[in-house]
Amino acid sequence: MTASNLWLAAGLRSPFAKVDGALAAHDAIDMSVPVVKAMLEKGARPDFAVWGTVIPNLTWSNIAREVLLDAGADPTIPAFSTVMACSTSMTGVLEAAGMIDGRGRDLALVGGVEAMSRVQIGLSVRLSDWIRRFQQARDLKGRLAVLSAFKAADARLFIPKVANRTTGLSMGEHTEITAKEWGLARADQDAIAFASHQNAVRAWENGFFDDLVIPVGEARRDTIPRKDSTLEKLAKLKPAFDKTSGQGTLTAGNSSPLTDGAASVWVASEAGLARLPERTPRVKILDYEVTAIDLRSEGLLMAPAYGVPRMLARNGLTLGDIGLWEIHEAFAAQVLSHIAAWESKKFLAERAGVTADLGAFPRERMNPTGGSLALGHPFGATGARILSQATKELAARGKGEKAIVSICADGGQGTMMLLEAA
């Protein structure tokens, strides 16, 4: 299939809730099943499915298959799982798009989930090895030998952390470094966060999310957007990651919270699109970019600073040609560092390899219905949430209007897509 024949159609999602909140009783499969059931009821039988989650669980190896079976889907529908940190379900969209071929693969159900309230704690590898050797011992003598080799230092639990394996630093600690490198002011970060909450609250009040969000358990709507948020309240919050230098600017208010949630989106050819309800918002996929940088010498979340300009340049577009920007807000500082890079001719030419003048970034066109700072960030679900949100917003605009969706990811990677209203 060519890119011009590929489409996105808006999907459904659960409410998003802060960790240990309204969705805390649900594991990743429990949270995903209602979303997939609703997609199957309102949509059509997909030809295949892609689903992802970032936090590992030993209970399953292919969450996509388990979710479809528990949702009562046709068991002959193939399903596979994917993972790419915060870009997980957007990467799933790109994988699905590459498989759609018009020869029996025309419609894919894609999505992801994160149950951050239900993180499984594991044994250390050495303790796991010791237990396995003990079980494999054939007699008492063998088991006594294994017991004698036991070391108390190996009896440790593994608790997953939001930290990068290569550097040992969390995403917030990395972004504090980026904020200092780019000279990003605390007030500007708080302003991004304040706008995100205002836009999300307004979108909920105006009914924008009514046909995008379904109830899961007792949760009926997102619990994180704050109607009472003010710049004054945000300014009073203490630094969350750099607490000692006196120069920390990232706070709980301008950083996305740990979040539970599941989200989905459709990927289709024109034939697949025809199988969905006519009123389902849909947009064309024009282009995409997957970018990686050296996280040992560059900001951990800076990949979109390189990828977006390259995608714009090869399509002959400037920043101002894009009518809708849906940028994942892992941190307000990360968003501001991307904008600063896109507006810097020096950065574009010397580091991104883009010589075109892309112009000024239109901030008023960014995340008009709220971003991750206000709505939350369940790692595996964020890509599908943003894509469905962008699809609905863009589809309501004039034909030819364009959008860019951009997501940074832990590990120094990122995914971006160029969409068009048709």
Side-chain angles (χ1 to χ4, degrees):
M1 302 293 293
T2 62
S4 61
N5 292 324
L6 291 171
W7 298 75
L8 288 179
L12 301 170
R13 67 172 174 89
S14 74
F16 283 3
K18 191 173 290 188
V19 65
D20 298 324
L23 295 172
H26 301 275
D27 66 21
I29 291 179
D30 293 339
M31 215 179 307
S32 302
V33 166
V35 174
V36 171
K37 275 186 175 180
M39 287 285 279
L40 296 174
E41 291 169 358
K42 292 190 175 184
R45 179 193 185 279
D47 298 314
F48 64 98
V50 188
W51 206 260
T53 190
V54 177
I55 299 172
N57 190 300
L58 293 176
T59 310
W60 57 75
S61 61
N62 183 1
I63 188 174
R65 179 66 169 165
E66 303 299 337
V67 167
L68 257 68
L69 291 175
D70 282 13
D74 183 340
T76 65
I77 298 172
F80 66 91
S81 303
T82 193
V83 61
M84 189 181 172
C86 311
S87 291
T88 290
S89 47
M90 188 165 171
T91 300
V93 165
L94 298 180
E95 291 172 319
M99 292 176 63
I100 288 176
D101 57 10
R103 300 178 298 172
R105 287 189 293 266
D106 286 294
L107 182 65
L109 192 164
V110 181
V113 61
E114 216 63 59
M116 302 193 78
S117 299
R118 303 292 298 275
V119 175
Q120 185 178 35
I121 296 173
L123 305 178
S124 69
V125 175
R126 288 185 177 181
L127 182 56
S128 297
D129 290 343
W130 181 86
I131 292 173
R132 191 172 66 254
R133 289 195 299 271
F134 184 81
Q135 291 176 327
Q136 291 171 343
R138 297 183 178 181
D139 51 31
L140 180 60
K141 181 180 179 180
R143 291 194 173 189
L144 289 173
V146 175
L147 280 171
S148 67
F150 177 78
K151 297 179 180 179
D154 295 338
R156 292 180 295 173
L157 297 178
F158 173 74
I159 304 175
K161 299 184 295 183
V162 186
N164 182 269
R165 175 184 172 274
T166 299
T167 66
L169 300 177
S170 70
M171 285 183 279
E173 291 168 328
H174 271 283
T175 307
E176 270 287 10
I177 296 171
T178 301
K180 292 178 176 64
E181 289 177 345
W182 285 87
L184 304 177
R186 164 74 182 271
D188 291 340
Q189 296 175 49
D190 288 347
I192 292 287
F194 179 59
S196 187
H197 281 274
Q198 282 193 313
N199 291 343
V201 169
R202 183 169 54 250
W204 267 107
E205 291 177 345
N206 292 341
F208 178 83
F209 290 110
D210 289 354
D211 57 356
L212 295 178
V213 179
I214 64 162
V216 173
E218 298 301 316
R220 293 292 183 269
R221 59 182 292 165
D222 299 324
T223 66
I224 300 170
R226 297 185 64 92
K227 190 172 185 178
D228 62 348
S229 178
T230 66
L231 289 172
E232 290 74 22
K233 289 180 180 179
L234 288 168
K236 292 178 181 178
L237 297 175
K238 295 180 179 180
F241 301 100
D242 177 1
K243 303 177 182 180
T244 58
S245 75
Q247 298 178 328
T249 56
L250 274 69
T251 70
N254 57 39
S255 305
S256 61
L258 299 178
T259 311
D260 296 326
S264 63
V265 66
W266 294 107
V267 185
S269 66
E270 290 184 3
L273 203 65
R275 288 153 53 184
L276 296 175
E278 187 176 349
R279 295 174 63 87
T280 307
R282 70 279 309 272
V283 296
K284 283 185 177 181
I285 300 173
L286 295 186
D287 200 358
Y288 73 94
E289 176 83 14
V290 180
T291 307
I293 51 91
D294 187 348
L295 70 163
R296 293 162 296 193
S297 58
E298 178 63 279
L300 181 76
L301 303 181
M302 287 297 287
Y306 292 79
V308 166
R310 293 167 183 168
M311 188 167 62
L312 286 171
R314 67 171 171 261
N315 286 277
L317 299 170
T318 67
L319 295 166
D321 291 328
I322 306 302
L324 171 65
W325 289 84
E326 288 285 352
I327 301 176
H328 167 45
E329 300 166 346
F331 305 91
Q334 155 257 316
V335 175
L336 289 169
S337 65
H338 293 175
I339 294 173
W342 296 336
E343 292 183 330
S344 168
K345 293 181 181 179
K346 180 179 176 65
F347 178 92
L348 294 178
E350 297 181 4
R351 298 169 71 175
V354 174
T355 57
D357 183 359
L358 300 182
F361 180 80
R363 294 197 188 190
E364 71 281 1
R365 303 176 192 174
M366 183 179 75
N367 299 348
T369 51
S372 298
L373 290 171
L375 296 171
H377 176 31
F379 298 151
T382 289
R385 188 276 296 172
I386 292 179
L387 286 170
S388 285
Q389 207 161 312
T391 295
K392 180 177 179 179
E393 175 71 21
L394 185 63
R397 302 188 178 193
K399 182 177 181 179
E401 188 87 356
K402 293 177 175 60
I404 280 183
V405 179
S406 170
I407 303 181
C408 56
D410 186 20
Q413 302 188 97
T415 53
M416 299 117 254
M417 295 182 72
L418 175 63
L419 308 174
E420 184 178 64

